[in-house]
Every structure is written in structure tokens, then in C-alpha cells.
Amino acid sequence: MGILSPVFAAAVLTPSRPSSSQQQDVLSYEAGQRLYLDPRAGNVSAALAQNYVKPTVSRAASQRNDDAEAEARALARAVNAPKYDPAELSRRYGGQPLQVTRRTLNILLELGSFAADLYLDKQRGELERNKRVRAIQLRQKLTKLGPTFVKIGQGLSTRPDLCPPEYLEELAELQDALPTFPDAEAFSWIESELGARLEDVYSSITPSPVAAASLGQVYKAVLRSTGEVVAVKVQRPGIAQAIGLDFFLLRNVCQLIDKYVDVVTTNVVALLDEFASRVYQELNYVQEGFNAKKFMELYGDRVDVKVPSICWDYTSVKVLTMEWIDGTKLSEQKVIESQGLNVLKMVDIGIQCSLRQLLEYGYFHADPHPGNLLATPEGKLAFIDFGMMSDTPPQARFAIIGHVVHMVNRDYEAMARDYYALDFLSPDVDVSPIVPALKSFFDDVLDATVSELNFKTIVDGLGAVLYQYPFDVPPYYALILRSLTVLEGLALYTDPNFKVLAAAYPYFAKRLLTDPNPYLRDALVELLFKDGSFRWQRLENLLVQGRKSSDFVAKDALQPVLQLMLGEEGAELRRLVEKEAVRVLEALVIGSTVEGYKSLPEPLKFIVNRGNNGRVIALKEHEEAQMLKLRQQVLRVWGLLRTSSGFDPAMLQPVVEILRLPEAQSMGAHVATGLTKRLAARLLQQLLKPATPLPA
């Protein structure tokens, strides 16, 4: 049975009176699982019926009104949810020097003792032998230090490039195997939040949590009203105070870094504030429910992605009831493979979905650690925790795609200009000094093919460049890096040679070929045209990669380019395309002639090529080779389009309609004229001066 990700929510809690429901009988099912059951039969209590309607799990149109009403009631219960307020934290803890000092010393003592033990191991030559012991020790210390440090451990647990296997295995337990708080207290909070007795809400609930993590714990239950199996997430008592104090301390440290550490040019306080605000969003389970709903609406259409539904009538700030999903954490490779599933395929689903999150709608899951991603028995990837979400600004979505294109194209001046759109630099900063630094780093990195590029290598190297110049990395970008590095870390755990950019590049290629956004169209033109010449090899590579994307459609790769070319600002592009069209048609005509000649019997070849230096057309050897190469490239590109998934000649009808526009007809006339002139010149060469090439 899979384990649901632990709760990520908390609030300032007050003690509550013990509930009589905690004294209910404990029965044993045939399977041996102990469940709390209501020993009485009957309908939902009057109190429950008065305040809540029956939860609507189905999303059928006839029940949408009920869903909306249930959501409204849940939203009303969240009006006093806590929010991150640095000024309030400063007022609260600024006047408590003893508490602040005690916590600071506690952190220094725990981490300092671990560092001292590592130092002694190194001095004694026992680092390797004591790895497991130290890994357990670190996990225990992070757990002891509380939720803030548990989250740090969760991040490290997905980074095999930073931590040895022993540490990865131990830190992975921080995802959902943390100490629990008393069940009686949890059940009391459920009753208090939902305003009903436990047995009136759930016909059964596990007597102990099935998962526990930094901010709360999860129970498996069955709704009495519908019989649906659900996950019930309950926040950990006192968690808000602990998180608030830690963020107060960390913010003070970040302020010192911003003020005195010149090598760090990024606004560290802003990064911390962004992270803290996301964590505080996790304190509100109603907000998490709406996050899940939005996530489902945007990405739930993928057949390989699963998103749980929310039971709104049984959800509040401190309690979340949602659909139960059976699955296995992505870090449990052997279990997944025993089910006939492939871990790398599941990670690739996560990467493709994440790219769509980051670069299409901009709404993305900012905490995709293994405890939040499950492989279902049906081969779907389930996202099950929606406490930490973030947004990519619209301008940045296209700038990121363009940035990757410019990187692959080694256009470092364009890369430097991208930092304006990415909000890394203010418009008044001169980027010209940055270009040599980018060239110095990326020339070495790009000697590898795209399929060999490691995301972490690029991030680390780019980070070294950023530190040298007045960059200000925006908070959303830090969360994007975290999201992608976590996914790459999951893949590296399975395959040390996995490259996330290789898995992501088909998506970038598809977007470039099919997206009508002006920014991306300009990036595509920059990629395909250089010094007035069309680079067919680039187009072929984009098509090869783009076809790997499951939703690539050939006709979409044609219309946006034509529309751009025939638009008001397409005069220069039309000139380039006309020139290239003449060259291509000439190569097709002459290349086909040459290929036809080669298929003739030898006696006929002798008659045809007599007086032409052994060639059917007066071309020098290198010129003939270039034409044949161009013809082969064009035919390969057409073959890629023609054999793309779902290709149908009828799909080209919209393209034909575009070609009927006056601008297109004018282009056609220019191309026909140019081709006629070229072929006429070839004919004259054939008759008057064999083997003399045309001027370029």
C-alpha cells in the first residue's frame, strides 16, 4: 500500500479538551488492520447535517453548484489563516532575547557537534567506516531541530551529487517517517476544526498515522457519507511558533549576508522571504485544497498524471481531507520495478509535466521531493502535496525558452540580453562585460552535446558568473532551480548518467517550432538563419527532438512561421526565405537530375555526359556535392514532418489558405522568377562554358 505525502501545514494551536470520540471502541478487521469505528449505526449527526452538505467527490456538471457551495464554506473557515509577516515576527521575537538566544545556541550545539564528529573522523581516517553512523546522526539532529531543518534535509535527500548513498537513504526518511504527535490530540483537532464527532465524519480511520513529516501527519480513513477512502492531514501542534522563530533567526542572518558579504550579489533576504511565504501558505490547508484544484484544472488532462480530489466539507485551515491515492515513492526503485514500472519513465513524466507547469501556464509545484511524487500501479505519476506552489511571470516563461535556444546557438550577446526579460538585471545595466564571461564558461560546457549536458553543471557554472556581476536572482527562479534539480536528483539516484536537459530538450524544440508567441518566433528565426543563410541542420535537429514530444503536431510547426513571414514586420524574413527557396528548388531540380543520371545504364551515361567532364550538368565536384547534400537535408526534413504522429495531408489546408494571401503570392512570383533565372544560367553554362560554377 502506498504512503501519502505528509502534511505541510501549521498554525498557532491552543490546547483542546479531550474528545469523547477518543474513547470509542477499537475493532479489528479480517486483514488485521486496527481501525477506529463508530460502534453505533445511524445517519450523520444533526450537528453535522446542519452545518455541512454531503461532500461532492464527483465533478459531474449536475453537482458543480454543490461543489461551489462546499468550497465557499471551506474558504470561510480559512479567514484567519496565518500569513508570513517579517515585521510581525520581528515584533514578536525581538522582545524575547532569552528564547532567541536559547534557540540559536540549540542550533549551534546540534550542528556544531555533528561537524566536530566529522572532523574527528577525518583526522582518524574513519570517514568511510562511519558514514552510516554519521548519516543517522545527521538525520536525528535535523529531526530534533524541527521543521525548518527537516526541509533542508528533504532537499539534500534528492541530491546524490552532494551526498553519499548512506546519507541519501537516511535523509529520505525525513520525507514521511518523522516522529508523530499523540493521536488523541490529532483526533481532537479534527473534531474541533470540522465541528463534528470523528465517528460522524469517518466510518473508519487508522488509529495511528500512515505518514508523518515536518509539519503534520496523515491518517487513512473512509468517509461515512460516501464510503470514499480518503487521506486526512492534520497539522502538528505548535508548529507555527517553531517556524516563525527559525525564519526570524534566518532572516537576521540573511540581512547580515546582504550587508557584509560582497561576493553574494543576490538579495538573500528576498529569497528567504519568498521561501518563507510559500511555507506559510502550507499552514493553510484550504489554500492547499484550492492549489490542488487549480493544478488539476491545468494539468489533470495528461493521461499519465494523477491529481487527488478535495473533500471540501471536511477541510479547514488545520485539517485536509482528500482522495486517497495508492502509490510508491519515486525513491523506492526496487518496489517500483517489482510492479513492472520504470523509474526513469516516471521521472520523465515529472519533467515533462514540470516544463508545462513552468513554461506554459506558469503555475508550478515548488516542492517535488519523493514523498510528494508517487508512482501508481497503473503507471501514472501522482502529485499529492500542494502546499508549496509558485508562479513563473509570463515574460520569463518565454525568456527561459529563448535563453536555452541562445545557449545552444552560442549566441552569448542574446543570452546576456535575456537577463533583462528574466528580471536578473535592471535595464540600465550594461551587459557587454558579461558576454565574455558567458562565452568562457559555456564554450567549454557546450562542447558536449545537448544530450550530455548536466543541469546542475550549468546551474553551478552560471552561478559562478552571476556572482561576478550585479545580478539579482528573482525568488521565482530559485524555486524553479529547486524544482528541476530535485527531479534531476531523483533520476540520478537511479541512473548516474541521466541528463535532465536531454529529457527536456524535446519540449523546448516543440515549443519553438509550434508556439506563435513573437518572442519564440524571433528566437526560432535567430536559430535557423545565420549571416543570411538558412541552417537546415538546425531545423532537422529541432524536428528530430520536437517529434519526441507526445503532443507535437506537424501542421503547428508550419503555420506560425508562415504567419510571421507574411506579417507586416516580415519583409526581411521574406527576402531571406525567397533566396533560400530558390536555392532549395534549384538543388531539388538539379539534384534529382543528377540522381536520375546516376541510375542510367553506362552506355546512356556516356552519351549524355560527353563533353561535360563526365557530369550530366556542368558542375564542379564540390558544387555538385553541396547541392546533393542540400537536397538530402530538405527531403529528410519533409520526411520528418510527413512521418510525425497524426500527420495527414488534409492538415496542410490551413497552410494552403495562408499561401493564397497577396504577400505569399508575391513571394511565389519572386521565387519563380529567381528559379527561372538560375536554371537559365545553368543551361547557358551547359551550352557555352561547361563545369563553370555560378557566382554565389
Side-chain angles (χ1 to χ4, degrees):
M1 187 68 70
I3 296 178
L4 193 70
S5 173
V7 182
F8 283 97
V12 179
L13 304 180
T14 57
S16 72
R17 295 188 302 274
S19 169
S20 60
S21 67
Q22 297 162 11
Q23 309 300 324
Q24 60 195 310
D25 296 335
V26 178
L27 303 183
S28 178
Y29 276 178
E30 292 179 1
Q33 185 179 25
R34 289 162 59 83
L35 303 173
Y36 279 107
L37 298 174
D38 181 4
R40 302 162 300 166
N43 297 323
V44 180
S45 70
L48 183 64
Q50 180 180 354
N51 292 287
Y52 300 99
V53 300
K54 204 172 182 179
T56 55
V57 178
S58 170
R59 292 293 183 249
S62 62
Q63 297 178 340
R64 287 176 183 170
N65 287 338
D66 289 342
D67 284 340
E69 292 174 2
E71 291 171 10
R73 287 192 293 272
L75 196 59
R77 291 192 287 270
V79 291
N80 294 319
K83 295 180 177 59
Y84 176 64
D85 185 349
E88 173 59 28
L89 291 179
S90 181
R91 285 192 296 270
R92 182 186 305 170
Y93 296 109
Q96 301 181 33
L98 292 179
Q99 185 178 1
V100 170
T101 301
R102 185 164 54 248
R103 178 59 175 168
T104 302
L105 292 176
N106 176 234
I107 295 171
L108 293 176
L109 179 63
E110 295 294 337
L111 297 184
S113 63
F114 174 74
D117 287 338
L118 280 182
Y119 176 78
L120 291 176
D121 286 346
K122 182 178 180 181
Q123 294 298 109
R124 298 167 181 167
E126 298 178 348
L127 274 177
E128 287 295 322
R129 189 177 71 178
N130 289 342
K131 268 186 180 178
R132 177 66 64 180
V133 174
R134 295 294 167 245
I136 294 173
Q137 182 184 12
L138 178 60
R139 172 176 57 78
Q140 292 173 340
K141 288 186 176 295
L142 293 178
T143 301
K144 187 176 179 180
L145 285 173
T148 307
F149 293 88
V150 166
K151 286 191 169 292
I152 294 174
Q154 288 175 346
L156 291 175
S157 72
T158 62
R159 299 303 303 269
D161 51 330
L162 299 179
C163 299
E166 294 84 355
Y167 283 78
L168 294 177
E169 293 172 8
E170 291 298 326
L171 294 177
E173 294 190 20
L174 296 175
Q175 291 155 11
D176 57 9
L178 290 171
T180 63
F181 60 91
D183 299 305
E185 194 168 359
F187 295 147
S188 177
W189 283 123
I190 293 174
E191 294 187 323
S192 175
E193 286 290 302
L194 301 185
R197 295 180 304 171
L198 199 70
E199 60 267 28
D200 288 336
V201 180
Y202 310 109
S203 59
S204 66
I205 186 168
T206 51
S208 58
V210 296
S214 54
L215 304 184
Q217 57 199 38
V218 181
Y219 296 86
K220 185 177 182 180
V222 177
L223 285 178
R224 178 171 295 281
S225 58
T226 65
E228 181 184 7
V229 180
V230 294
V232 184
K233 304 172 69 173
V234 189
Q235 67 180 203
R236 189 180 295 271
I239 198 66
Q241 294 93 324
I243 290 177
L245 178 55
D246 282 345
F247 280 131
F248 169 74
L249 294 173
L250 289 172
R251 200 171 194 276
N252 285 336
V253 172
C254 291
Q255 287 175 334
L256 293 175
I257 292 174
D258 281 344
K259 186 174 182 179
Y260 297 109
V261 183
D262 295 334
V263 70
V264 179
T265 57
T266 298
N267 188 333
V268 182
V269 170
L271 291 177
L272 177 71
D273 286 344
E274 174 72 10
F275 176 71
S277 65
R278 300 300 174 184
V279 173
Y280 265 77
Q281 284 184 9
E282 297 182 52
L283 306 181
N284 183 354
Y285 280 178
V286 173
Q287 178 62 54
E288 180 174 347
F290 280 100
N291 291 346
K293 179 186 176 184
K294 182 177 180 180
F295 193 90
M296 178 183 289
E297 291 172 348
L298 295 178
Y299 315 114
D301 61 321
R302 286 186 62 105
V303 297
D304 49 10
V305 170
K306 174 68 175 175
V307 183
S309 58
I310 305 299
C311 303
W312 293 105
D313 273 323
Y314 308 123
T315 293
S316 69
V317 172
K318 303 176 180 67
V319 175
L320 174 62
T321 303
M322 61 197 301
E323 175 188 359
W324 175 270
I325 294 180
D326 287 320
T328 307
K329 291 186 299 182
L330 292 192
S331 56
E332 297 180 1
Q333 178 183 351
K334 292 182 179 179
V335 178
I336 292 176
E337 291 178 347
S338 70
Q339 298 172 348
L341 303 176
N342 185 292
V343 176
L344 290 181
K345 182 179 179 180
M346 304 306 299
V347 172
D348 186 60
I349 293 173
I351 291 172
Q352 301 306 319
C353 186
S354 293
L355 290 171
R356 189 176 177 190
Q357 294 172 44
L358 298 172
L359 303 176
E360 286 187 29
Y361 298 105
Y363 186 71
F364 67 94
H365 196 295
D367 191 26
H369 67 71
N372 292 340
L373 298 172
L374 301 181
T376 71
E378 302 81 26
K380 295 184 178 183
L381 181 67
F383 290 79
I384 56 173
D385 190 297
F386 303 91
M388 185 177 289
M389 309 296 289
S390 190
D391 296 279
T392 310
Q395 183 181 17
R397 300 173 207 167
F398 302 111
I400 290 171
I401 298 175
H403 198 63
V404 172
V405 175
H406 295 148
M407 178 188 71
V408 173
N409 207 27
R410 303 192 186 215
D411 188 347
Y412 302 120
E413 291 183 0
M415 281 185 71
R417 292 193 298 271
D418 288 336
Y419 295 128
Y420 295 135
L422 289 169
D423 203 23
F424 279 32
L425 295 170
S426 60
D428 59 337
V429 175
D430 180 17
V431 297
S432 56
I434 301 172
V435 175
L438 292 173
K439 177 177 174 58
S440 176
F441 170 70
F442 280 106
D443 271 349
D444 291 336
V445 171
L446 294 174
D447 284 339
T449 64
V450 172
S451 62
E452 295 173 338
L453 291 177
N454 183 290
F455 183 72
K456 180 182 180 299
T457 300
I458 292 180
V459 170
D460 290 348
L462 185 59
V465 174
L466 298 182
Y467 285 138
Q468 302 175 37
Y469 299 95
F471 284 93
D472 185 12
V473 179
Y476 78 85
Y477 190 73
L479 290 174
I480 289 177
L481 294 185
R482 182 177 185 272
S483 178
L484 291 179
T485 51
V486 165
L487 286 169
E488 185 172 61
L490 285 170
L492 291 173
Y493 190 86
T494 303
D495 179 5
N497 297 317
F498 183 87
K499 302 295 185 292
V500 72
L501 284 181
Y505 199 66
Y507 174 87
F508 286 103
K510 186 262 297 185
R511 286 291 299 276
L512 273 177
L513 290 167
T514 63
D515 198 309
N517 178 268
Y519 189 98
L520 297 186
R521 292 277 59 78
D522 291 344
L524 179 60
V525 171
E526 291 175 15
L527 183 67
L528 296 180
F529 287 93
K530 185 175 183 180
D531 299 328
S533 298
F534 189 86
R535 297 188 285 183
W536 285 93
Q537 186 63 46
R538 292 281 187 176
L539 177 58
E540 183 179 353
N541 290 341
L542 284 175
L543 285 169
V544 168
Q545 294 295 327
R547 278 161 43 100
K548 296 177 183 178
S549 183
S550 60
D551 53 352
F552 175 77
V553 180
K555 73 177 181 67
D556 293 340
L558 299 175
Q559 295 183 56
V561 175
L562 289 172
Q563 290 170 349
L564 170 68
M565 181 176 62
L566 301 176
E568 295 180 358
E569 300 178 358
E572 179 63 20
L573 180 58
R574 285 197 293 272
R575 186 186 66 79
L576 294 174
V577 171
E578 288 171 4
K579 177 182 175 182
E580 187 62 24
V582 170
R583 193 170 76 95
V584 167
L585 291 173
E586 181 189 30
L588 290 174
V589 172
I590 295 179
S592 297
T593 303
V594 171
E595 292 293 342
Y597 163 76
K598 290 180 178 180
S599 66
L600 292 175
E602 288 300 325
L604 287 178
K605 286 184 180 179
F606 177 77
I607 295 174
V608 172
N609 68 28
R610 193 172 67 177
N612 289 330
N613 296 328
R615 302 184 190 283
V616 66
I617 296 179
L619 295 173
K620 286 189 175 181
E621 185 174 355
H622 77 277
E623 191 177 10
E624 180 180 303
Q626 288 176 348
M627 282 203 173
L628 290 175
K629 180 181 178 181
L630 175 58
R631 176 179 177 272
Q632 291 168 355
Q633 285 181 324
V634 173
L635 292 178
R636 282 199 303 270
V637 167
W638 169 245
L640 288 169
L641 287 170
R642 185 170 53 85
T643 59
S644 295
S645 176
F647 179 84
D648 184 341
M651 294 191 307
L652 299 180
Q653 181 61 33
V655 178
V656 175
E657 296 296 330
I658 292 176
L659 293 178
R660 291 176 179 173
L661 296 175
E663 295 86 350
Q665 294 178 1
S666 175
M667 280 187 62
H670 292 161
V671 171
T673 301
L675 178 62
T676 301
K677 290 180 179 179
R678 295 285 292 184
L679 293 178
R682 290 291 182 194
L683 179 60
L684 287 175
Q685 284 182 345
Q686 188 79 3
L687 297 174
L688 303 176
K689 195 174 182 180
T692 301
L694 283 172

